[in-house]
């Protein structure tokens, strides 16, 4: 209840302050103190008024088209980052280190092995020329280092073989599987001079003894030890993943030979190979195979040339070492048969890599091969990046062919695995990236390679430290870049956005890597660190932007305008962040960038706005202070900008949305909102006044038949309503005062517009042609109707239903009723006043036609009887037809109906006045006007297309119609009509203050005798000074011309009583021809007997004879006297006031009329004397 009372008092104060619908507000007092002196020194012209509404519309358009702050113009990428990044810079190599690295590079090139790929450079001179540039080595220094390398010892060579797996092997056992294992070693390539049939059968480690004995004379000899894998039981797709190293003697002539066998005994293959490797010479090996053959179980399905109880052959491979590429092999090899008679199938997956050891360089004696490779790669990257010709910041890390040749050969010779190479490349590229910006695609590729090749057992020691430190530094640097996101990755630059995405994808992928969990066990911390970086970066960006827009201490308007620019800038940034950054962060690292940055920005903006609006509120609360137009525009624009910023919060989760600082930002504008509404009201009134002054009442909207001012006024209202709608005041209950004020303003402006139109019409009335004036009046009526129609839609436009619901929720049903009463009261008053103003215009319009109408009515009245009725009425109908054309073209339908209805009523009054002025003339006169009335009725109804007959046949119409009908009647007919009206009134008369009488009437049909028994009276009025009366009753059959021989009869006088008892009988002769008339009746006139003066009239009653005499009635028999009496209530009205009496009185030459009038006047005289 306290809330309701407080709200009611606020509304009352607001209504007291607001402009009334019936009073025009006086101009502001010159003593008012403006907020901006400069803006008040000039008067507001029409251009300034238009500028106000145009400016307000431009402000509203900003919501859907957030202005760009210009960040996307003339932006160079990558922009400079002002903060120092020395913490992330790398140390450059000294001259001595460069010399040692150059020696290592030359040594690598001079000891190349393996088949180069197509993108490698084979020319040593070309490579040396490139290396001299990379390491900044002169020709003389190069020659010295080259000579030193030539004199150094060559490195030792080896082959690393990884037997990974096989697939689709042939089944040799009865169970449909095999128990495969591999035997592998190096053999010397066969001589090309041997016969074809000798070379057809390929080498096998398990030939029969006699075959092995013969191998001593061949070139096909073993060059190293034999190695074997484990047996994989019962499978056709074995997985071994075993690794072997073979020392090399002559790469050009050695061949890697591999056999796959199905193991068929319990002897360990590994042990057998060990013993086999202990035998010297081919003959000893043959004797040992003979011993192995004795121990294996029999196999009846052995291949051609195999002994019983021997392992089954599954296939072999022969890979010349001279064909192995620099990068090695990592592929599937198809198994080959030993001869054309052998049947084999399947493939074997091998990884082959050539490598060196015992390198004779100064650097390799002090540094590990991984460290050397990293330093060499870093030097190459520095050189390659510095020589990129176009967009070095977009360099993808791809090096030139000579550089790639050196990197590949050194990685091969240093025996760096794919994982080691990926880690070194990652560390080098990420370190280089911290000092020189480049594309992140290569970094992401290295991370993917590390993750693919990852092996916990293979990463330890220096390599592990290198990887951990590089990941840590990269993460810190990426967080630094995120903190400077706006400068480093401007979203207006597509390439920068692409770089940002790749950087974030790298961070996101880094979190999924197994090594990342090892380095950073608390995986979730990186999201927290990124959120912190986003917050810091947002604050830095906001502070920088504030400094850019900060204005000197001066006018409050300027401070508001600068604040608007700040908020617009923030909105633009939030939108870009939502459209660009948010999607990147969410899809790559699962960080809600928009949520973090938006909440930070909206909090900073809210704090800033609160400070400025507090100043504004303090200034506006000073006495005699009013809001200037410029200040009002600035406040409105600031509010709209803040609403736009708050609208972005709709994308947040509900729990975060409820915590926004902007949720209550509208509270800062409460005091300013009243002033702003007043500014809008003043501008609207000024605009309406000018619109009326400039209106020439020419149709500009032919369908609605409006002039310019109506369109301008409703457009003004629509704009004001749109201004309010776009404010979207969050507190619906608190908005009640503002909506009340806004409704009052619009209603008062609408009424003011109608008054201005009316005054202008009145001013232009002088000396103007009637038709032009009528057209102007019609357009003015349409204009007012158009404004009225807009006001009728105001409840929907301002959403009164929502307001009433909010008031009911806040203040209960009383609050809802208060809102309905306040708003509907304002609207009702305005609509009523508009209707009144339009009624005045209609009256003015019909007044302009009055002279012509009177002339044509008089023409009808004075036309001689010799002229036909149609001819007498034709001038009037032609005039009305002409006017109807004008009105139809100029008026909308509703107004046309109103004008025609007013014209109809005017014609009815003119006809009625004419007929009343000519009572008692010949019947033809009234017949002519009856004909005129019928024609007019048809004209205005227009066969249902015009005014409805129900509306046309109004009380005025019935009065005229009755007047004409009665004037056409004879005196007897008028008298009969008089008694018919009396009978009708008697039937509805009940419980009057004049009392009642009880009677019995019954008819003896054979005798044609009517018996009237007057029983008693009750509650009669006192007409004597003693408070009583001396009543008696006069009984008559009426009308007299129907009963010419029936005389009136009377009862005895009952002295001093208001409840007389008569009990008297009266007899009348009544024929059937007489009682069948509807107007035939018995009248009972109660009089008060006076000795010394005229008797007083106490009341009368009538009873139709048809109620008693008609055949079939109970009273129409002899038993009627036994029926219950009839109670008749008395009436006491002055009959001389009735129209019929006036008509009869006007017939001076009619004896029957005058006699009847004389009798009635006697009763009227009695009433007057009383």
């Amino acid at each position: 209840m306290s809330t309701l009372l407080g709200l009611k008092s606020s509304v009352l104060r607001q209504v007291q302050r607001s402009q009334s619908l019936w009073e025009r507000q006086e101009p502001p007092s010159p003593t008012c103190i403006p907020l901006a002196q400069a803006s008040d020194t000039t008067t507001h012209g029409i251009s300034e008024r238009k500028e106000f509404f145009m400016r307000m519309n431009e402000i509203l358009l900003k919501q859907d088209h957030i202005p760009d702050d210009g960040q996307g113009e003339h932006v160079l990428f990558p922009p400079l980052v002002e903060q120092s990044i020395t913490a992330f810079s790398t140390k450059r190599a000294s001259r001595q280190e460069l010399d040692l690295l150059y020696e290592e590079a030359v040594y690598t090139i001079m000891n190349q092995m393996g088949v180069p790929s197509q993108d490698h450079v084979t020319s040593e001179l070309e490579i040396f020329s490139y290396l001299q540039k990379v390491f900044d080595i002169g020709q003389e220094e190069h020659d010295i280092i080259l000579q030193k390398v030539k004199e150094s010892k060559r490195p030792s060579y080896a082959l690393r073989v990884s037997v990974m797996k096989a697939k689709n092997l042939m089944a040799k056992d009865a169970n449909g599987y095999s128990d495969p294992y591999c035997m592998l070693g190096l053999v010397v390539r066969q001589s090309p001079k041997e016969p074809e049939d000798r070379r057809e059968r390929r080498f096998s480690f398990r030939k029969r003894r006699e075959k092995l004995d013969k191998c001593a004379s061949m070139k096909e000899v073993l060059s190293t030890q034999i190695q074997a894998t484990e047996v994989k039981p019962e499978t056709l797709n074995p997985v071994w993943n075993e690794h072997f190293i073979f020392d090399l003697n002559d790469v050009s002539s050695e061949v890697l030979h591999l056999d796959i066998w199905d193991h068929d005994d319990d002897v360990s293959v590994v042990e057998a190979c060990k013993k086999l490797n202990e035998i010297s010479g081919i003959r000893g090996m043959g004797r040992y195979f003979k011993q192995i053959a004795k121990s294996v179980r029999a196999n009846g399905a052995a291949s051609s040339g195999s002994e019983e109880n021997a392992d089954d052959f599954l296939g072999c491979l022969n890979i010349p070492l001279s064909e192995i590429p620099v990068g090695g092999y990592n592929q599937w090899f198809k198994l080959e048969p030993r001869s054309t008679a052998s049947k084999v199938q399947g493939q074997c997956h091998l990884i082959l890599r050539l490598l060196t050891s015992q390198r004779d360089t100064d650097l390799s004696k002090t540094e590990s091969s991984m460290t050397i490779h990293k330093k060499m790669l870093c030097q190459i990257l520095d050189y390659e990046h510095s020589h990129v010709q176009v967009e070095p910041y977009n360099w993808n890390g791809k090096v030139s062919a000579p550089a790639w040749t050196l990197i590949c050969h050194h990685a091969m010779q240093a025996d760096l695995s794919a994982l080691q190479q990926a880690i070194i490349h990652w560390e080098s590229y990420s370190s280089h990236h911290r000092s020189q910006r480049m594309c992140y695609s290569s970094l992401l590729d290295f991370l993917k390679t590390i993750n693919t090749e990852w092996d916990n057992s293979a990463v330890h020691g220096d390599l592990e430290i290198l990887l951990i430190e590089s990941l840590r530094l990269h993460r810190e640097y990426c967080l630094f870049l995120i903190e400077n996101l706006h400068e480093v990755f401007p979203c207006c630059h597509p390439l920068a956005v692409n770089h940002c995405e790749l950087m974030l994808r790298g961070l996101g992928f880094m979190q999924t890597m197994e090594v990342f969990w090892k380095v950073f066990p608390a995986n979730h911390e990186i999201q927290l660190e990124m959120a912190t970086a986003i917050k810091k970066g947002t604050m830095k960006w906001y502070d920088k932007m504030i400094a850019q827009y900060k204005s000197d201490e001066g006018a409050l308007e300027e401070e508001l305008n600068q604040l608007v620019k700040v908020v617009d800038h923030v909105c633009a940034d939030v939108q870009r962040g939502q459209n660009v950054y948010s999607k990147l962060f969410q899809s790559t690292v699962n960080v809600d960038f928009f949520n973090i940055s938006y909440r930070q920005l909206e909090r900073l903006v809210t704090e800033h706005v609160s400070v400025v609006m507090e100043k504004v509120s303090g200034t506006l609360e000073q006495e005699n202070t009013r809001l200037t137009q410029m200040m009002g525009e600035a406040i409105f624009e600031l509010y709209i900008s803040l609403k736009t910023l708050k609208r972005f919060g709709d994308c947040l989760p509900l729990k975060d949305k409820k915590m926004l600082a902007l949720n209550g930002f509208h509270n800062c504008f409460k005091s300013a909102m009243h002033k702003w509404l007043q500014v809008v009201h003043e501008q609207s009134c000024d605009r309406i006044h000018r619109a009326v002054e400039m209106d020439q009442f020419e149709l500009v909207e032919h369908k609605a038949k409006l002039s310019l001012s109506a369109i301008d006024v409703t457009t003004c209202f629509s704009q004001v309503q749109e201004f309010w709608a776009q404010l979207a005041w969050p507190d619906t209950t608190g908005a009640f005062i503002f909506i009340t004020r806004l409704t009052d303003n619009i209603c008062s402006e609408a009424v003011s517009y109608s008054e201005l139109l009316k005054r202008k019409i009145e001013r232009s009335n002088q000396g103007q042609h009637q038709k032009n004036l009528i057209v102007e009046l019609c357009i003015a009526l349409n204009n007012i109707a158009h404004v009225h129609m807009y006001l009728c839609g105001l409840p929907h436009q301002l959403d009164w239903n929502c307001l009433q619901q909010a008031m009911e929720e806040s203040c209960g049903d009383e609050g809802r009723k208060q809102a309905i009463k306040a708003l509907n009261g304002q609207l009702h008053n305005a609509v009523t006043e508009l209707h009144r103003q339009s009624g005045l215009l209609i009256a003015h319009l019909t007044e302009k036609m009055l002279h012509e109408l009177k002339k044509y009515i008089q023409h009808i009245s004075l036309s001689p009887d010799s002229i036909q009725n149609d001819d007498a009425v034709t001038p009037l109908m032609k005039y009305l037809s002409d006017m109807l054309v004008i009105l139809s073209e100029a008026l909308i339908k509703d107004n046309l109906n109103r004008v025609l209805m007013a014209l109809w009523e005017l014609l009815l009054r003119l006809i009625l006045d004419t007929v009343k002025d000519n009572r008692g003339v010949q019947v033809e006169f009234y017949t002519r006007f009856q004909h005129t009335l019928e024609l007019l009725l048809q004209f205005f109804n227009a066969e249902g297309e015009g005014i409805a007959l129900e509306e046309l046949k109004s009380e005025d119409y019935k009065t005229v119609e009755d007047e004409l009908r009665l004037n056409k009647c004879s005196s007897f007919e008028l008298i009969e009509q008089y008694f018919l009206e009396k009978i009708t009134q008697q039937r509805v008369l009940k419980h009057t203050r004049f009392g009642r009488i009880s009677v019995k009437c019954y008819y003896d049909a054979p005798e044609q005798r009517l018996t009237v028994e007057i029983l008693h009276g009750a509650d009669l009025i006192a007409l004597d000074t003693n408070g009583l009366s001396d009543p008696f009753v006069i009984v008559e059959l009426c009308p007299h011309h129907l009963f010419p021989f029936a005389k009136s009869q009377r009862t005895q006088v009952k002295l001093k009583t208001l409840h007389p008892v008569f009990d008297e009988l009266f007899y009348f002769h009544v024929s059937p021809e007489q009682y069948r008339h509807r107007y035939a009746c018995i009248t009972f006139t109660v009089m008060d007997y006076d000795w010394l003066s005229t008797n007083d009239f106490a009341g009368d009653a009538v009873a139709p004879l048809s109620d008693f005499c008609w055949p079939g009635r109970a009273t129409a028999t002899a038993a009627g006297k036994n029926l219950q009496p009839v109670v008749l209530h008395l009436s006491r009205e002055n009959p001389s006031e009735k129209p019929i009496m006036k008509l009869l009185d006007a017939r001076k030459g009619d004896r029957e009329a005058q006699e009847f009038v004389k009798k009635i006047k006697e009763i009227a005289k009695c009433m007057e004397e009383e």
Side-chain angles (χ1 to χ4, degrees), residues 740-994:
T740 304
R741 173 70 179 275
L742 190 61
T743 302
D744 183 68
N745 288 347
I746 293 177
C747 289
S748 64
E749 291 159 10
V751 172
S752 174
Y753 171 67
S754 66
E755 293 176 349
L756 289 172
L757 281 180
K758 178 175 170 293
R759 286 200 290 267
K760 183 169 184 178
I761 290 291
E762 291 173 350
R763 290 196 306 268
S764 62
N765 191 15
Q766 307 296 333
Q768 194 171 10
H769 191 271
Q770 183 186 25
K771 179 181 177 180
N772 295 337
L773 181 59
I774 290 176
V775 171
E776 289 186 2
L777 284 167
C778 291
I779 294 176
L781 282 171
N782 294 339
N783 291 347
I784 295 177
H786 185 65
V787 173
H788 172 266
M789 186 180 300
Y790 183 89
L791 288 187
C792 292
L794 206 57
H796 174 72
Q797 299 285 348
L798 297 179
D799 200 1
W800 284 7
N801 290 334
C802 181
L803 176 63
Q804 293 172 15
Q805 183 178 356
M807 292 294 293
E808 184 175 9
E809 294 175 356
S810 176
C811 307
D813 188 60
E814 183 66 24
R816 182 184 63 83
K817 292 180 179 178
Q818 175 186 346
I820 294 174
K821 182 178 180 181
L823 296 173
N824 286 340
Q826 292 175 335
L827 186 58
H828 175 73
N829 291 339
V831 169
T832 302
E833 180 63 14
L834 287 180
H835 194 273
R836 189 180 73 87
Q837 293 292 338
S838 60
L840 293 175
L841 288 178
I842 292 175
H844 190 52
L845 188 151
T846 55
E847 184 182 353
K848 296 301 176 184
M849 303 166 62
L850 180 60
H851 176 73
E852 295 294 326
L853 292 175
K854 281 184 177 181
K855 181 178 71 174
Y856 294 121
I857 293 294
Q858 187 178 15
H859 172 76
I860 297 173
S861 174
L862 298 178
S863 296
D865 296 340
S866 60
I867 297 179
Q868 296 293 326
N869 291 338
D870 289 337
D871 295 337
V873 179
T874 297
L876 173 63
M877 302 307 296
K878 185 178 184 307
Y879 174 77
L880 291 177
S881 299
D882 295 341
M883 292 308 302
L884 180 61
V885 172
I886 297 174
L887 296 175
S888 300
E889 292 177 352
L891 287 172
I892 60 175
K893 184 175 181 180
D894 290 342
N895 281 339
L896 177 61
N897 289 340
R898 287 189 65 189
V899 171
L900 291 179
M901 196 66 192
L903 187 58
W904 167 253
E905 292 172 353
L906 176 60
L907 285 168
L908 290 177
R909 288 196 299 271
L910 292 175
I911 293 174
L912 182 61
D913 292 342
T914 303
V915 172
K916 286 182 177 180
D917 292 340
N918 292 274
R919 283 175 176 164
V921 299
Q922 294 180 353
V923 176
E924 289 76 9
F925 178 86
Y926 308 111
T927 303
R928 177 166 292 173
F929 273 101
Q930 181 67 40
H931 180 70
T932 302
L933 186 62
E934 292 174 358
L935 289 178
L936 290 174
L937 185 68
Q938 296 174 7
F939 175 82
F940 283 97
N941 178 250
E943 298 182 349
E945 297 296 327
I947 303 174
L949 289 175
E950 293 78 8
E951 295 183 46
L952 291 173
K953 294 182 178 181
S954 60
E955 291 299 323
D956 291 344
Y957 171 80
K958 293 177 181 178
T959 301
V960 175
E961 189 178 42
D962 289 344
E963 183 74 20
L964 290 172
R965 180 176 55 81
L966 293 175
N967 274 286
K968 290 166 59 179
C969 293
S970 64
S971 298
F972 285 161
E973 290 174 339
L974 291 176
I975 295 172
E976 292 167 359
Q977 183 65 32
Y978 174 83
F979 283 107
L980 276 175
E981 292 179 2
K982 290 282 289 183
I983 293 172
T984 303
Q985 293 174 1
Q986 185 68 50
R987 292 187 186 280
V988 299
L989 194 62
K990 292 181 180 180
H991 306 294
T992 66
R993 64 185 184 90
F994 306 111

Side-chain angles (χ1 to χ4, degrees), residues 218-276:
M218 297 180 183
K219 298 295 182 180
E220 186 182 65
V221 296
L222 292 170
S223 63
T224 185
Q225 295 181 334
I226 301 173
Q227 303 287 348
T229 66
E230 293 290 335
V231 177
K232 300 298 178 180
E234 297 183 358
T235 180
L236 300 179
N237 300 288
V239 178
W240 291 291
N241 195 17
E242 298 184 31
H243 311 280
F244 309 96
I245 295 181
F246 298 96
D247 294 331
L248 303 181
N249 295 321
D250 185 3
V251 176
S252 61
S253 61
E254 290 179 312
V255 177
L256 172 66
H257 181 81
L258 180 143
D259 285 344
I260 301 181
W261 298 85
D262 171 36
H263 185 55
D264 287 331
D265 60 15
D266 298 331
V267 178
S268 170
V269 176
V270 176
E271 293 295 328
C273 287
K274 286 183 179 179
K275 294 181 179 181
L276 186 62

